[in-house]
């Protein structure tokens, strides 16, 4: 990423430029076309705006999704008569987030073809920045109000005000407003109309969306005035001459633009079948290079999206109903429509377009018994079970684009439509098997009183409360259809049912799972209604690993499903507090996966201790090889959640390349939750999670919201010295490892599953010594009775063996054959074994070169610790 002049060169913070304390986007309507030939997305986004009635710079507890005019829950009740904002400093839009001064910009004309925007003299702007603008200074003055949006790598061609009064469907609303506004000229008809639509009750959301959609087709305002805009590296600013406050600013804007092939929000690539595709890649800059938006998480909004894509492609997106594509006239494109009714941050908008097929729910008879055996007994599938032709796979496992949508609508979860999805019945025999349902009701009152703003909430729907498994589909390229069928489809309903048993109502009405192209930067990524899953977690032949053939896929699914509750329906108010999302999902992953496996309490505890030890080792390595400032879970400390007067802020260290490969928020956050569970009891802690979800669903939180409610619910914690300040000091506001974690790791290292691994390690060391250096290799290797190990035990075994100074070539070959290491994915072992700084280089040798050159280099790299930057380059090379 190029160095930007708007950023302090000594920092790596990401600016969130949008002035959300002044004005908020309440609804987006996107109209996009995907061009694979040029690797761009073109089209428009229409913004429906609402000015704020107050400024909030300090964090408030439980900021609600959909709170009126950007206010906290506490402020909403008294906001009706709140004073308007003061805008003395808006003239130059200069604050600590962006350090911009708009008064420096000259007149410029847009040149979408060139690498830079030129001014009238044909010269690049004096600042050297990539500038696009209308006649900014000529038409506006310093006293004009400026709308600031987060925007990056977009070619904006036009910004215009939409004339919503010309929409026929608005006539009845206009007449109603006119009668109410007799004698009041302070609010324009345009503003009054949009406020009326935005304020419609959630029970009328379909009518509301129809009005939004019709407004987007209206022409621009023809009153002689115009909107002027300016873009820099991180933002788009819009002004209207003579408008000095957000209350006077236009309420509906249309922005025409085009993405750039190198834009950081989307990735243009090829799938495993070498066919073109594009998807939002979970970039640190979020979606600002896909459409101009308000990035701060407090800017909660709903959206509708129309996407045109080649007819042979499937379009998957965050949306509450499964889209049924329609033809686009005589073109070779299909049109896909999606929408959401729950207000969420713009960063959660997710898009994927490619030549994927839906994985069929029917198992070929030859595979059905093998699948059942492995699920129940951990047996290896019969040889040849995967030897199927591509044509056979397409016919028996996949569906074409048209078959995907045929007779396959989905229940909306909005209470006004009940429909059907064939894919929701996939593996019904597994779905209908009775999972042990733990009673978490305990202290929790089953009645739910929503504290968020008005939207169609599933938590209050009776039908949603009884829905253990939501409708779901799985998509993959042809070459991975069978692996997805064996490794994902049977696990998905189990994991969904287990998550429901642990956390309660599913926040979203449906779920798609997509196997993304190779090189995806993580094992998975959760968004509303869709999960991206790496091919690395798919089933691979692994004799001797028992349930391990499905363990990685199952645990990763549980992790991403847990994000539906923590990360999406409950979000972090300040993005620097990533542990609220990742630490919670890592902790819940183990609980949900154990329930999905139907483990006993003892088996659950043993598996949990083994995973804890692996994570402890990983955390120790990461803290030893990273900067201390990147190890803090609450880097803004007492300033967490605070923003500037305009609402802009920064995400600390978000652009640091090392941070992308760090797991401290996952691991240290996970251990903090284990520590808290140990203080109140695991059963009681699980009950508290459900109580917390019921209270805070649909809201944004800070660490203090969770911890304060916990301390109030369990007052005995204070008598143990566990105060809010003590938890901050030990876990959140400082680097390093708390004392409790050191002590607990000694207990985990003596767990039964760990002792079994240590016994196996001794066998391998003895074998290596018997085949030691200088001895001629024997034709017959000594017979050793190696114990079958789980996938987590195998990871631990390899870690411990890699700590040995000497391993013979013969031992490495035997290790490879015994555990079939060449069939394991190098990506999986990188993520699993990253507790050793030099492990990734070893893994490349062990799994790419099948260990042949391993022993020749092990002494050279012994003790070599990769720096973070070296580790990043190595990862890029492998992926």
């Amino acid at each position: 990423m190029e160095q930007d002049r708007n950023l302090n060169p000594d920092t790596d913070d990401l600016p969130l430029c949008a002035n959300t304390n002044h004005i908020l986007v309440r609804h987006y309507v996107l109209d996009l076309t995907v061009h694979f030939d040029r690797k761009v997305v073109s089209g428009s986004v229409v913004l429906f705006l609402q000015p704020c009635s107050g400024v909030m710079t300090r964090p408030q507890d439980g900021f609600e999704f959909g709170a009126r005019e950007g206010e906290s829950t506490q402020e909403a009740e008294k906001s009706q008569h709140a004073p308007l904002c003061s805008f003395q400093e808006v003239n130059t839009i200069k604050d600590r987030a962006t350090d911009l001064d708009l008064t420096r910009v000259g007149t410029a004309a847009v040149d979408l073809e060139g690498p830079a925007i030129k001014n009238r003299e044909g010269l690049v702007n004096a600042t050297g920045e990539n500038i696009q603008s209308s006649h900014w200074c000529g038409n506006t003055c310093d006293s004009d109000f400026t709308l600031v949006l987060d925007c990056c790598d977009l070619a904006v061609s036009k910004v215009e005000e939409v004339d919503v009064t010309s929409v026929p469907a608005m006539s009845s609303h206009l007449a109603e407003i006119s009668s109410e506004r007799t004698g009041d000229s302070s609010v324009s008809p345009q503003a009054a109309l949009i406020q009326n639509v935005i304020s419609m009750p959630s029970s009328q959301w379909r009518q509301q969306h129809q009005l939004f959609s019709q407004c987007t087709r209206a022409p621009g305002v023809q009153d002689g005035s115009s909107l002027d805009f300016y873009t820099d590296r991180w933002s788009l600013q819009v002004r209207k001459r003579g408008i000095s406050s957000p209350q006077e600013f236009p309420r509906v804007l249309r922005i025409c633009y085009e993405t750039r092939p190198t834009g950081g929000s989307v990735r243009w690539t090829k799938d495993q079948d070498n066919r073109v595709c594009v998807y939002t890649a979970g970039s640190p800059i979020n979606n600002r290079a896909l459409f101009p938006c308000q990035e701060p998480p407090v800017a909660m909004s709903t959206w509708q999206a129309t996407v045109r894509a080649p007819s042979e492609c499937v379009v998957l997106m965050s949306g509450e109903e499964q889209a049924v594509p329609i033809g686009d006239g005589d073109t070779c494109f299909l049109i896909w429509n999606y929408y959401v009714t729950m207000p969420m941050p713009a960063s959660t908008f997710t898009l994927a377009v490619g030549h994927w097929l839906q994985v069929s729910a029917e198992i070929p008879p030859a595979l059905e018994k093998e699948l059942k055996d492995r699920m129940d007994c951990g047996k290896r599938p019969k040889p040849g079970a995967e030897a199927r032709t591509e044509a056979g796979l397409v016919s028996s496992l996949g569906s074409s684009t048209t078959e995907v949508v045929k007779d396959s609508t989905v229940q909306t979860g909005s209470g006004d439509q009940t429909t059907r999805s064939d894919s929701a019945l996939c593996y019904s025999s597994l779905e209908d098997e009775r999972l042990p349902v733990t009673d978490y009701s305990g202290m929790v009152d089953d009645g739910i009183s929503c504290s968020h703003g008005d939207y169609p909430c599933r938590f209050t729907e009776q039908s949603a409360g009884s829905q253990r498994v939501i409708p779901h589909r799985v998509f993959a390229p042809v070459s991975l259809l069978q692996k997805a069928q064996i490794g994902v489809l049977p696990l998905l309903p189990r994991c969904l049912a287990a998550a429901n048993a642990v956390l309660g109502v599913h926040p979203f009405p449906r779920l798609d799972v997509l196997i993304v192209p190779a090189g995806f930067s993580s094992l998975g990524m959760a968004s509303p209604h869709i999960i991206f899953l790496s091919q690395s977690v798919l089933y691979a032949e692994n004799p001797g690993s028992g349930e391990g053939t499905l363990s990685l896929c199952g645990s990763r699914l549980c992790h991403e499903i847990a994000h539906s509750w923590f990360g999406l329906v409950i979000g972090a108010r300040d993005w620097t507090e990533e542990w609220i999302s990742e630490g919670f999902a890592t902790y819940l992953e183990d609980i949900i996966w154990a329930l999905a496996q139907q483990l006993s309490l003892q088996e659950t505890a043993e598996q949990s201790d083994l995973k804890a030890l692996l994570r402890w080792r990983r955390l120790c390595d990461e803290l030893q090889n990273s900067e201390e400032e990147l190890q803090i879970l609450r880097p803004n400390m007492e300033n967490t959640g605070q923003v500037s007067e305009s609402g802009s802020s920064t995400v600390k260290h978000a652009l640091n390349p090392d941070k992308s490969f760090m797991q401290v928020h996952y691991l240290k956050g996970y251990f903090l939750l284990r520590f808290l569970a140990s203080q109140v009891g695991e059963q009681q802690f699980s009950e508290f999670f459900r109580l917390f979800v019921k209270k805070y669903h649909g809201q944004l939180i800070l660490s203090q919201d969770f911890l304060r409610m916990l301390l109030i619910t369990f007052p005995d914690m204070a008598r143990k010295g566990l105060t809010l300040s003590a938890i901050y000091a030990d876990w959140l506001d400082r680097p390093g490892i708390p004392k409790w974690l050191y002590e607990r790791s000694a207990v985990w290292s003596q767990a039964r599953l760990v002792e079994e691994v240590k016994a196996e390690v001794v066998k391998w060391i003895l074998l290596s010594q018997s085949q030691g250096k200088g001895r001629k290799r024997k034709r017959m290797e000594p017979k050793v009775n190696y114990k079958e190990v789980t996938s987590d035990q195998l990871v631990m075994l390899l870690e411990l063996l890699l700590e040995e100074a000497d391993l013979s070539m013969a031992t490495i070959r035997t290790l490879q054959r015994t555990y079939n290491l060449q069939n394991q994915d190098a990506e999986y072992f990188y993520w699993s074994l990253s507790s050793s700084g030099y492990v990734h280089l070893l893994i490349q040798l062990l799994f790419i070169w099948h260990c042949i050159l391993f022993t020749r280099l092990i002494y050279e790299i012994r003790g070599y610790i990769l720096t973070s930057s070296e580790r990043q380059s190595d990862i890029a090379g492998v992926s």
Side-chain angles (χ1 to χ4, degrees):
M1 183 173 295
E2 64 181 277
Q3 181 66 42
D4 186 77
R5 296 177 185 271
N6 295 328
L7 289 176
N8 183 334
D10 297 327
T11 71
D12 46 26
D13 301 337
L14 172 69
L16 303 180
C17 304
N19 51 342
T20 54
N21 271 353
H22 297 160
I23 195 166
L24 286 171
V25 179
R26 298 313 244 169
H27 190 77
Y28 296 91
V29 179
L30 294 105
D31 188 355
L32 306 176
T33 301
V34 178
H35 305 277
F36 281 111
D37 54 342
R38 296 190 295 130
K39 294 184 178 180
V40 299
V41 177
S42 66
S44 66
V45 58
V46 176
L47 281 55
F48 293 83
L49 301 163
Q50 184 178 40
C52 299
S53 61
V55 175
M56 179 174 59
T57 60
R58 288 192 168 273
Q60 302 289 331
D61 293 350
F63 188 94
E64 65 182 59
F65 290 17
R68 195 175 77 82
E69 298 193 346
E71 296 167 337
S72 68
T73 307
Q74 291 84 347
E75 290 177 312
E77 297 177 354
K78 54 186 178 182
S79 64
Q80 192 168 6
H81 304 289
L84 299 180
C85 308
S86 174
F87 301 100
Q88 290 89 347
E89 297 181 6
V90 171
N91 300 342
T92 60
I93 309 298
K94 186 172 184 178
D95 58 38
R96 64 185 180 89
T98 58
D99 198 25
L100 292 177
D101 190 344
L102 303 186
T103 58
R104 72 174 186 269
V105 183
T107 302
V110 179
D111 175 12
L112 296 181
E113 301 300 325
I117 307 302
K118 300 181 180 180
N119 60 18
R120 287 181 174 176
E121 288 72 30
L123 301 175
V124 176
N125 182 276
T127 64
E129 297 171 351
N130 187 16
I131 301 293
Q132 299 168 22
S133 81
S134 57
H135 300 286
W136 182 268
C137 287
N139 290 343
T140 63
C141 62
D142 291 347
S143 62
D144 291 337
F145 171 74
T146 304
L147 168 69
V148 183
L149 300 171
D150 294 291
C151 174
C152 177
D153 296 328
L154 295 179
V156 179
S157 57
K158 182 170 70 172
V159 181
E160 64 178 348
E161 180 181 359
V162 177
D163 184 10
V164 296
T165 60
S166 66
V167 178
M170 285 290 198
S171 57
S172 61
H173 293 270
L174 187 60
E176 177 184 342
I177 291 170
S178 298
S179 63
E180 294 176 353
R181 294 178 61 252
T182 303
D184 180 10
S185 60
S186 61
V187 180
S188 70
Q190 297 258 16
L193 274 175
I194 295 306
Q195 184 60 45
N196 188 278
V197 175
I198 289 175
S199 303
M200 292 175 68
S202 61
S203 59
Q204 299 178 22
W205 70 265
R206 285 190 180 276
Q207 179 184 355
Q208 181 189 52
H209 279 204
Q210 289 172 1
L211 291 173
F212 281 141
S213 181
Q214 292 178 41
C215 287
T216 63
R217 296 191 288 270
V221 171
Q222 304 296 324
D223 62 355
S225 63
S226 62
L227 297 179
D228 300 287
F229 68 91
Y230 163 90
T231 66
D232 59 23
R233 179 67 178 91
W234 292 113
S235 67
L236 164 67
Q237 298 97 36
V238 182
R239 285 181 179 176
K240 184 175 182 178
R241 183 167 56 177
I243 300 301
S244 59
S245 74
Q247 282 70 27
E248 303 171 87
F249 196 76
R251 300 299 178 89
V252 185
L253 301 185
R254 181 187 292 114
I255 303 173
C256 300
Y257 70 97
E258 191 173 87
T259 66
R260 299 186 186 277
T262 57
S265 295
V266 294
R267 182 177 183 190
W268 300 86
T269 184
K270 292 187 177 182
D271 64 18
Q272 293 84 346
D273 298 329
N274 202 35
R275 307 192 73 176
V276 293
C277 61
V278 61
Y279 62 95
T280 48
S283 167
I285 66 170
N286 298 309
N287 283 322
R288 67 178 69 187
L290 178 60
F291 62 98
C293 57
Q294 291 183 327
E295 283 281 291
V298 298
M300 314 306 298
S301 60
T302 52
W303 60 75
Q304 297 164 260
T306 296
V307 179
R308 292 171 181 82
S311 57
E312 67 273 16
C313 291
V314 173
V315 176
L316 302 176
M317 190 186 296
S318 304
E320 293 173 15
E321 285 188 358
Q322 176 183 317
V324 179
I326 59 176
D328 186 19
D330 296 330
T331 71
C332 57
F333 282 69
L334 288 178
I335 299 175
W336 303 71
N337 294 288
Y338 286 91
Y339 67 86
V340 297
T341 60
M342 177 194 297
M344 287 178 287
S347 60
T348 63
F349 181 93
T350 303
L351 172 68
V353 183
H355 298 78
W356 300 297
L357 298 181
Q358 182 179 348
V359 181
S360 170
E362 297 179 1
I363 312 176
L367 296 177
E368 187 168 11
K369 186 176 185 303
E370 302 299 336
L371 172 64
K372 183 68 175 176
D373 288 344
R374 284 190 295 106
M375 288 293 294
D376 294 340
C377 308
K379 293 181 180 179
R380 177 187 179 187
K382 292 180 180 179
E386 294 188 10
R388 303 178 63 85
T389 65
E390 180 172 307
L393 286 172
V394 173
S395 62
S396 65
L397 300 179
S399 304
S400 68
T401 301
T402 54
E403 289 171 334
V404 164
V405 299
K406 183 179 179 181
D407 297 328
S408 177
T409 51
V410 174
Q411 179 178 333
T412 67
S414 302
D416 59 353
Q417 182 175 350
T418 302
T419 52
R420 179 180 62 86
S421 170
D422 293 339
S423 61
L425 304 177
C426 62
Y427 291 90
S428 59
S429 60
L430 294 176
E431 178 183 332
D432 294 339
E433 288 180 6
R434 279 292 175 188
L435 292 176
V437 179
T438 306
D439 181 11
Y440 289 106
S441 58
M443 60 184 171
V444 182
D445 179 8
D446 285 338
I448 296 179
S449 178
C450 295
S451 301
H452 54 70
D454 184 30
Y455 68 81
C457 179
R458 280 177 53 84
F459 283 82
T460 59
E461 291 183 12
Q462 186 175 359
S463 59
S466 60
Q467 195 175 29
R468 297 171 62 230
V469 179
I470 57 175
H472 52 275
R473 303 180 298 174
V474 178
F475 289 84
V478 170
S479 59
L480 295 178
L481 283 174
Q482 186 178 18
K483 284 189 174 183
Q485 185 187 53
I486 294 174
V488 180
L489 275 179
L491 295 177
L492 193 50
R494 284 179 173 264
C495 296
L496 288 169
N500 171 261
V502 173
L503 294 169
V505 176
H506 288 284
F508 304 106
R510 69 177 192 93
L511 177 64
D512 285 339
V513 176
L514 171 65
I515 309 302
V516 289
F520 186 57
S521 59
S522 65
L523 292 181
M525 186 180 77
S527 301
H529 315 101
I530 186 169
I531 288 174
F532 289 170
L533 208 60
S534 168
Q535 65 176 15
S536 301
V537 306
L538 296 180
Y539 158 72
E541 286 271 358
N542 188 11
S545 66
E547 101 304 332
T549 54
L550 299 174
S551 178
L552 178 61
C553 184
S555 60
R556 178 48 50 173
L557 276 174
C558 291
H559 181 100
E560 303 306 335
I561 289 171
H563 276 311
S564 293
W565 287 267
F566 289 93
L568 296 175
V569 77
I570 298 176
R573 173 82 185 278
D574 188 320
W575 276 341
T576 62
E577 292 198 303
E578 294 176 55
W579 83 276
I580 290 176
S581 174
E582 299 302 348
F584 279 63
T586 304
Y587 177 83
L588 290 166
E589 162 193 332
D590 293 353
I591 298 173
I592 297 171
W593 179 228
L595 188 59
Q597 292 175 284
Q598 304 184 41
L599 299 183
S600 66
L601 291 177
Q602 180 179 349
E603 290 171 328
T604 298
E606 289 178 343
Q607 179 174 279
S608 178
D609 286 349
L610 176 58
K611 285 180 175 289
L613 185 61
L614 286 169
R615 289 168 178 151
W616 155 254
R617 293 169 62 89
R618 193 178 312 163
L619 179 63
C620 287
D621 171 74
E622 187 160 290
L623 297 186
Q624 290 172 6
N625 295 282
S626 62
E627 301 175 22
E628 286 193 347
E629 61 182 1
L630 298 180
Q631 303 173 14
I632 301 173
L633 298 188
R634 204 173 69 121
N636 290 332
M637 300 183 189
E638 66 276 1
N639 295 321
T640 300
Q642 294 188 24
V643 297
S644 71
E645 180 273 338
S646 70
S648 62
S649 62
T650 59
V651 183
K652 201 171 182 65
H653 306 307
L655 300 180
N656 188 317
D658 295 342
K659 189 174 181 294
S660 302
F661 303 99
M662 292 188 65
Q663 301 183 62
V664 66
H665 289 86
Y666 295 73
L667 302 175
K668 198 171 179 181
Y670 157 82
F671 285 122
L672 169 54
L673 294 175
R674 283 202 65 140
F675 164 71
L676 295 174
S678 72
Q679 303 301 306
V680 302
E682 292 184 1
Q683 177 69 23
Q684 290 78 8
F685 200 52
S686 294
E687 293 173 356
F688 175 75
F689 268 96
R690 286 174 68 98
L691 185 64
F692 187 80
V693 167
K694 286 188 175 184
K695 177 176 175 60
Y696 280 101
H697 70 274
Q699 300 182 63
L700 299 172
I701 66 169
L702 300 173
S703 297
Q704 64 197 43
D705 297 312
F706 178 80
L707 296 174
R708 282 175 178 169
M709 182 172 171
L710 182 70
L711 293 171
I712 292 172
T713 306
F714 300 100
D716 287 345
M717 295 180 69
R719 289 190 280 272
K720 299 178 183 178
L722 290 176
T723 63
L724 191 63
S725 58
I727 296 173
Y728 281 164
D730 289 344
W731 289 91
L732 299 178
D733 292 352
R734 66 173 59 167
I737 298 176
K739 179 181 178 182
W740 176 89
L741 192 46
Y742 277 114
E743 296 172 347
R744 195 64 187 172
S745 64
V747 177
W748 296 327
S749 65
Q750 298 174 11
R752 183 184 67 85
L753 295 181
V754 178
E755 293 297 332
E756 289 181 356
V757 173
K758 292 178 180 177
E760 294 303 298
V761 170
V762 171
K763 295 177 186 178
W764 286 104
I765 293 174
L766 292 176
L767 175 63
S768 180
Q769 291 174 351
S770 68
Q771 300 172 333
K773 185 177 179 181
R775 294 189 56 183
K776 186 176 181 179
R777 184 184 178 190
K778 299 179 181 179
R779 291 182 178 272
M780 297 295 294
E781 295 180 355
K783 291 185 177 181
V784 181
N785 183 23
Y786 297 108
K787 181 179 176 62
E788 183 176 304
V789 295
T790 68
S791 59
D792 290 324
Q793 284 182 306
L794 177 58
V795 171
M796 178 63 71
L797 184 145
L798 293 175
E799 283 196 15
L800 295 178
L801 285 177
L802 286 167
E803 292 175 354
E804 293 300 312
D806 298 299
L807 284 177
S808 68
M809 174 73 79
T811 301
I812 294 295
R813 292 196 183 101
T814 306
L815 186 73
Q816 176 193 18
R817 289 193 299 270
T818 301
Y819 299 112
N820 201 19
L821 297 181
Q822 70 273 15
N823 286 332
Q824 302 294 345
D825 196 295
E827 285 184 83
Y828 160 55
F829 277 95
Y830 168 70
W831 290 103
S832 299
L833 292 174
S834 59
S835 59
S836 297
Y838 53 85
V839 159
H840 190 55
L841 184 55
L842 298 180
I843 291 169
Q844 292 182 60
L845 300 174
L846 185 61
F847 299 105
I848 297 177
W849 296 335
H850 293 177
C851 312
I852 302 301
L853 303 178
F854 178 76
T855 53
R856 298 179 186 177
L857 299 178
I858 192 169
Y859 300 108
E860 297 177 18
I861 64 176
R862 173 76 177 160
Y864 175 65
I865 304 298
L866 289 176
T867 65
S868 298
S869 58
E870 289 169 332
R871 184 181 305 182
Q872 179 190 4
S873 62
D874 283 346
I875 293 170
V878 171
S879 61

